[in-house]
């Protein structure tokens, strides 16, 4: 479902050009639990942003469900981010003034879903991460682990084909980190495709496919 | 299908309410702007209306002729010839003096004394409260009779009936034969604080030997311009140009309306500038808001917001601020109009038109000054916005 062919990414900062991805080719199949590991600065987030259609490659091709991404307009990409992709960030990125319910509901608002159905689906998503009773708490009234679970609910609510998680446990203690991983794992067991970036080898061990990135190059691939 | 206006509006209101003090201060610029536009324009229009009303109150078929050349004066022949001209209905001399008026111990210094004939009351549309008019016999015999304006009567006699009483004008005794009804004041003075005497009597007493000013009533308002040119021809052949001045109320009205119209525009314009300054305040705050919320914009885009969603979110925020500011400004303006109206007894009120224009303008300001920040927000790339700290 996801195919990258010799993708590069070069940042241009004034005079300096910095090539962060140097020809990445990967193939993520439906139902995969795909992990990306590698040292800090190796280009993992850059890769993830491209996968999540938050950014575009400098060269190379990205096929999502058979369609090359550069053929899409800005609005098409917004639609893809809204419908096909669920993004989970290291820093949660919840909107601080909205409560858990409103944060989770947001993708459905942008999709133009009527409020009655929005309410149902939001409640289901919150329930699936075990936060049904915290629905009307603001992010700052929730623990880090709970906030990340709200973020997972937000990524899930639109029923996307793939969940992207950029170091989802990076800001969490071990216990809540494990809770988050358990959720991701159980989602994968139910058939959801998941791509996760991690520093944690234990996490990587739980995945089905594993790649290691170093200086923008894939130095190791493991399919278990 | 993309998100609805209702949800965008809800979102905007939520974020506006999340920073109440800032929103209020931003709104204040618009409130003050709209408020001053409303009050200024209302005052301008009020002034126009009251000027128009007071001039129209004098009758629009009146002409006032004043000789400006001091060497020539109207003779009695002139008067009768003028009154024979086509379009002239009637005329009256109109000679003004100022004199102390006394009754017993009551004293009104500096009262306006007007020398008139029997037509004057009719020409000006004055009515009697009690007593009789000045009649041709009074003129012919130079009778020492006087009609009192309502204020003079009030201050000299209070509640007593002045008819038949004798008052002194500059030391000469006159018999009060009538009292005028209270009149609307006009542009030309206080019509209630004056007394009328037969012009012949006045001329003798005040040693005025000629008539320099008369008031003419035309047969109707429509032909007043034609009548005026007849009179001009008559005066010109007799005395030459530049010896008289004819005062036509229609002309005066349009001139004054022009002046007050320009004044209204000017006042409204100055107030409009403050509205503009309010708009710049909105732009300033919206720019701050956008940069504060860069990360939020990134998150929204990451979960599927389109450029237009972000654009409208911020545009609606600025328009809601300016729109609500506009409504508050309008209500304040209407309130202050009421206060001014009652306190100064001048009828000023904002017309529906002005209110609508002020409201639309304030909305426009919100959209206009919100456009740049909103556009800036909507153009942010999701990655860049998410990296922003
Ligand atoms: N927008 C950007 N502009 C310039 N350089 C960037 C940008 N984003 C990332 N980088 C650089 O690219 C390199 C890889 O970054 P990143 O993908 O975030 O690495 P990782 O997530 O593996 O730690 C880093 O050196 C980082 O400084
Ligand atoms: Mg990273």
């Amino acid at each position: 479902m996801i195919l990258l062919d010799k993708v590069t990414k070069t940042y241009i900062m004034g005079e300096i050009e910095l090539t962060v991805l140097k020809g990445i080719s990967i193939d993520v199949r439906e139902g995969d639990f795909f992990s990306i590991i590698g040292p800090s600065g190796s280009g993992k987030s850059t890769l993830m942003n491209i996968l999540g259609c938050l950014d575009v490659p400098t060269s190379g091709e990205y096929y999502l469900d058979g369609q090359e991404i550069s053929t899409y307009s800005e609005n098409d990409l917004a639609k893809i981010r809204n419908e096909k992709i669920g993004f989970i960030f290291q820093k949660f990125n919840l909107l601080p003034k909205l409560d858990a319910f409103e944060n989770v509901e947001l993708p459905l608002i942008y999709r133009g879903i009527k409020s009655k159905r929005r309410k149902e689906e939001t409640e289901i998503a919150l329930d699936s991460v075990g936060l049904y009773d915290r629905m009307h708490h603001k992010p700052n009234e929730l623990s880090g682990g709970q906030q990340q679970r709200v973020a997972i609910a937000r990524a899930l609510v639109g029923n996307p084909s793939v969940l992207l998680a950029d170091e989802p446990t990076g800001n969490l203690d071990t216990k809540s980190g494990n809770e988050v991983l358990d959720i991701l794992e159980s989602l994968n067991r139910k058939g959801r495709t998941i791509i996760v970036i991690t520093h944690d080898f234990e996490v990587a061990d739980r995945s089905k496919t594993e790649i290691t990135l170093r200086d923008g190059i894939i130095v190791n691939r493991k399919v278990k | 299908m993309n998100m609805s206006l209702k949800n965008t509006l809800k979102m905007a209101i939520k974020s506006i309410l999340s920073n109440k003090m800032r929103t209020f201060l931003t709104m204040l610029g618009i409130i003050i702007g709209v408020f001053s536009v409303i009050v200024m324009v209302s005052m301008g229009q009020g002034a126009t209306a009251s000027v128009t009303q007071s001039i129209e109150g004098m009758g629009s078929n009146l002409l006032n002729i004043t000789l400006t050349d001091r060497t020539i004066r109207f003779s009695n022949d002139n008067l009768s010839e003028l009154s024979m001209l086509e379009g002239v209905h009637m005329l009256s001399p109109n000679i003004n003096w100022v004199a102390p008026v006394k009754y017993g111990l009551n004293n009104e210094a500096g009262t306006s004394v007007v020398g008139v004939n029997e037509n004057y009351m009719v020409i000006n549309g004055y009515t009697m409260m009690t007593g009789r008019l000045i009649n041709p016999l009074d003129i012919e015999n130079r009778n020492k009779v006087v009609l009192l304006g309502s204020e003079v009567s009030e201050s000299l006699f209070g509640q007593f009936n002045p008819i038949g009483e004798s008052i002194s004008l500059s030391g000469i005794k006159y018999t009060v034969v009538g009292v005028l009804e209270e009149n609307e004041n006009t542009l030309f003075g206080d019509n209630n604080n004056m007394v009328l005497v037969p012009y012949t009597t006045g001329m003798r007493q005040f040693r005025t030997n000629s008539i320099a000013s008369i008031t003419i009533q035309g047969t109707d308002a429509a032909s007043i311009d034609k009548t005026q040119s007849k009179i001009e021809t008559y005066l010109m052949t007799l005395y030459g140009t530049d010896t008289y001045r004819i005062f036509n109320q229609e002309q005066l009205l349009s001139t004054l309306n022009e002046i007050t119209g320009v004044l209204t525009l000017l006042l409204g314009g100055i107030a409009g500038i403050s509205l503009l300054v309010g708009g710049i305040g909105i732009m300033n705050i919206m720019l701050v808001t956008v940069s504060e919320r860069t990360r939020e914009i990134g998150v929204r885009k990451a979960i599927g917001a389109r450029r237009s969603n972000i654009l409208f979110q911020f545009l609606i925020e600025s328009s809601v601020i300016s729109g609500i500011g506009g409504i508050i400004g309008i209500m304040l303006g209407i309130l202050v109009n009421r206060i001014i109206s009652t306190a100064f007894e001048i009828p000023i009120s904002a017309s529906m038109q002005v209110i609508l224009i002020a409201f639309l303008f304030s909305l426009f300001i919100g959209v206009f000054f919100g456009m740049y920040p909103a556009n800036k927000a909507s153009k942010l790339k999701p990655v860049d916005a998410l990296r922003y700290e």
Side-chain angles (χ1 to χ4, degrees):
Chain A
M1 69 181 309
I2 284 179
L3 195 85
L4 291 194
D5 188 20
K6 297 198 228 28
V7 162
T8 71
K9 180 72 189 180
T10 302
Y11 291 115
I12 298 168
M13 295 163 292
E15 299 281 285
I16 308 160
E17 288 193 3
L18 182 65
T19 301
V20 178
L21 297 180
K22 300 165 183 167
I24 303 287
S25 300
I26 56 172
D27 180 7
V28 182
R29 280 155 296 117
E30 189 119 27
D32 207 348
F33 193 155
F34 192 101
S35 68
I36 302 169
I37 58 173
S40 179
S42 58
K44 303 183 299 294
S45 293
T46 304
L47 176 59
M48 193 63 122
N49 290 337
I50 289 174
L51 291 174
C53 296
L54 298 175
D55 206 352
V56 289
T58 308
S59 73
E61 282 156 355
Y62 171 12
Y63 294 91
L64 180 63
D65 291 335
Q67 181 85 16
E68 217 284 309
I69 229 72
S70 63
T71 60
Y72 287 126
S73 71
E74 208 183 305
N75 276 347
D76 292 336
L77 290 177
K79 198 170 150 72
I80 287 173
R81 290 193 292 264
N82 185 246
E83 293 176 359
K84 290 197 175 176
I85 293 166
F87 218 112
I88 299 159
F89 304 89
Q90 179 177 351
K91 290 175 185 160
F92 322 139
N93 275 340
L94 299 175
L95 301 190
K97 278 160 190 163
L98 305 187
D99 65 24
F101 180 91
E102 292 165 321
N103 266 289
V104 174
E105 183 190 26
L106 216 46
L108 302 181
I109 291 182
Y110 285 121
R111 202 183 286 189
I113 306 273
K114 293 260 175 306
S115 83
K116 189 163 169 284
R117 233 188 89 199
R118 275 202 320 256
K119 186 168 185 294
E120 289 165 12
E121 292 182 6
T122 303
E123 287 176 1
I124 291 170
L126 277 167
D127 194 36
S128 75
V129 296
L131 286 174
Y132 187 87
D133 55 339
R134 298 294 158 87
M135 180 151 22
H136 296 299
H137 288 237
K138 294 268 172 69
N140 63 6
E141 296 159 0
L142 297 169
S143 73
Q146 289 171 327
Q147 288 184 53
Q148 193 61 301
R149 275 147 61 196
V150 173
I152 294 174
R154 181 180 65 187
L156 272 178
V157 73
N159 196 23
S161 36
V162 56
L163 274 189
L164 305 181
D166 187 346
E167 300 193 38
T169 59
N171 276 11
L172 301 178
D173 58 76
T174 324
K175 183 172 167 285
S176 29
N178 277 331
E179 277 170 22
V180 166
L181 287 171
D182 290 344
I183 294 174
L184 291 181
E185 222 168 17
S186 85
L187 286 168
N188 180 249
R189 268 201 300 278
K190 286 176 205 150
R192 185 99 43 190
T193 313
I194 289 177
I195 303 178
V196 62
I197 291 178
T198 180
H199 273 310
D200 191 341
F201 291 104
E202 202 181 320
V203 178
D205 287 343
R206 289 159 83 165
S207 69
K208 295 175 181 166
T209 310
E210 179 188 327
I211 62 167
T212 309
L213 220 56
R214 187 163 296 141
D215 285 336
I217 297 171
I218 299 177
V219 293
N220 189 22
R221 273 175 212 267
K222 247 193 262 175
V223 181
K224 294 166 232 171
Chain B
M1 171 76 204
N2 206 247
M3 76 185 288
S4 65
L5 184 69
K6 193 182 118 200
N7 283 313
T8 317
L9 206 65
K10 259 200 209 154
M11 215 176 251
I13 287 170
K14 194 162 187 119
S15 97
I16 285 170
L17 288 181
S18 74
N19 209 331
K20 294 195 185 62
M21 191 60 186
R22 182 198 279 184
T23 302
F24 172 72
L25 289 176
T26 312
M27 219 179 249
L28 203 57
I30 297 295
I31 294 175
I32 291 171
V34 170
F35 162 78
S36 37
V37 166
I38 295 277
V39 173
M40 289 295 182
V41 172
S42 305
M43 290 211 304
Q45 289 184 337
T48 310
S50 95
V51 164
T52 307
Q53 197 186 26
S54 67
I55 292 175
E56 277 175 349
M58 299 185 303
S60 55
N61 57 345
L62 296 192
L63 294 173
N64 225 304
I65 308 169
T66 304
L67 295 176
T68 49
D69 185 336
R70 288 179 162 274
T71 61
I72 50 173
R73 288 298 177 249
F74 288 120
S75 65
N76 280 332
D77 284 352
N78 289 154
L79 293 190
S80 54
E81 275 164 20
L82 276 169
S83 65
M84 300 305 276
L85 283 178
E86 197 193 330
V88 174
H89 184 52
M90 51 172 73
L91 59 77
S92 168
N94 176 358
I95 317 173
N96 284 276
W97 302 282
V98 174
V101 180
K102 261 189 218 160
Y103 173 72
L105 291 175
N106 295 343
N107 187 353
E108 280 287 294
T111 302
S112 163
V113 179
V114 188
V116 302
N117 71 9
E118 69 277 11
N119 296 328
Y120 188 82
M121 293 280 290
V122 182
I123 290 174
N124 284 289
Y126 295 159
T127 48
M128 302 297 292
M129 188 158 72
T130 166
R132 68 164 176 89
L133 298 171
I134 287 170
N135 62 36
L137 270 178
D138 294 325
I139 309 290
E140 200 173 321
N141 299 334
R142 300 193 168 100
N143 287 340
K144 296 204 186 70
V145 293
V146 63
L147 303 185
L148 304 183
S150 61
E151 248 174 63
V152 178
S153 166
E154 171 84 9
S155 57
L156 292 185
F157 294 96
Q159 298 304 315
F160 294 107
N161 183 2
I163 304 296
E165 297 295 326
S166 159
I167 63 169
S168 92
L169 282 185
S170 275
I172 307 289
K173 293 240 175 282
Y174 280 71
T175 307
V176 177
V177 294
V179 177
L180 273 64
E181 203 78 76
E182 189 175 333
N183 281 300
E184 281 274 314
N185 285 331
T186 70
L187 220 50
F188 305 105
D190 190 342
N191 285 331
N192 300 311
N193 195 18
M194 64 168 186
V195 300
L196 304 180
V197 298
Y199 75 96
T200 47
T201 320
M203 281 170 78
R204 181 196 276 169
Q205 184 191 337
F206 295 102
R207 296 178 210 287
T208 306
N209 44 30
S210 57
I211 302 165
S213 171
I214 59 178
T215 303
I216 290 180
Q217 184 182 40
T219 45
D220 58 279
S223 64
I224 198 72
D225 286 342
K226 223 160 83 199
T227 309
Q228 178 172 353
S229 62
K230 285 238 167 57
I231 294 167
E232 277 175 358
T233 317
Y234 172 82
L235 291 173
M236 211 132 71
T237 44
L238 266 185
Y239 303 122
T241 49
D242 286 338
T243 53
Y244 58 87
R245 200 164 49 104
I246 300 186
F247 197 69
N248 178 332
Q249 278 171 18
E250 278 302 311
Q251 285 168 6
L252 177 73
L253 194 63
S254 67
T255 312
L256 277 174
N257 271 343
E258 227 168 87
I259 294 171
T260 51
V262 168
L263 206 74
T264 306
L265 218 66
L266 206 77
L267 288 173
I270 292 170
I273 289 173
S274 70
L275 191 52
L276 222 61
V277 174
I280 294 169
I282 289 194
M283 175 142 131
N284 193 16
I285 279 303
M286 289 311 291
L287 280 173
V288 172
T289 303
V290 167
S291 88
E292 277 177 357
R293 285 159 60 190
T294 302
R295 212 177 164 76
E296 171 190 330
I297 294 162
V299 172
R300 287 180 184 275
K301 285 201 157 183
I303 59 174
R306 295 178 184 192
R307 228 186 113 169
S308 57
N309 295 142
I310 304 293
L311 184 83
F312 278 119
Q313 182 186 343
F314 285 94
L315 261 192
I316 285 183
E317 262 190 62
S318 62
S319 321
V320 166
I321 292 178
S322 68
I324 293 178
I327 290 172
I328 297 176
I330 286 168
M331 293 195 302
L332 265 182
I334 291 173
L335 187 76
V336 168
N337 276 352
R338 290 248 170 89
I339 294 173
I340 293 177
S341 293
T342 38
F344 298 95
E345 287 176 14
I346 38 174
I348 69 163
S349 71
S351 62
M352 220 38 232
Q353 202 187 358
V354 171
I355 289 175
L356 202 71
I357 288 174
F359 179 67
L360 291 180
F361 192 53
S362 67
L363 265 189
F364 168 76
I365 290 266
V367 172
F368 183 81
F369 287 99
M371 191 55 98
Y372 175 70
N375 190 46
K376 203 175 144 169
S378 76
K379 280 205 307 216
L380 285 171
K381 291 210 311 189
V383 247
D384 295 339
L386 281 167
R387 277 171 66 90
Y388 187 89
E389 289 303 319

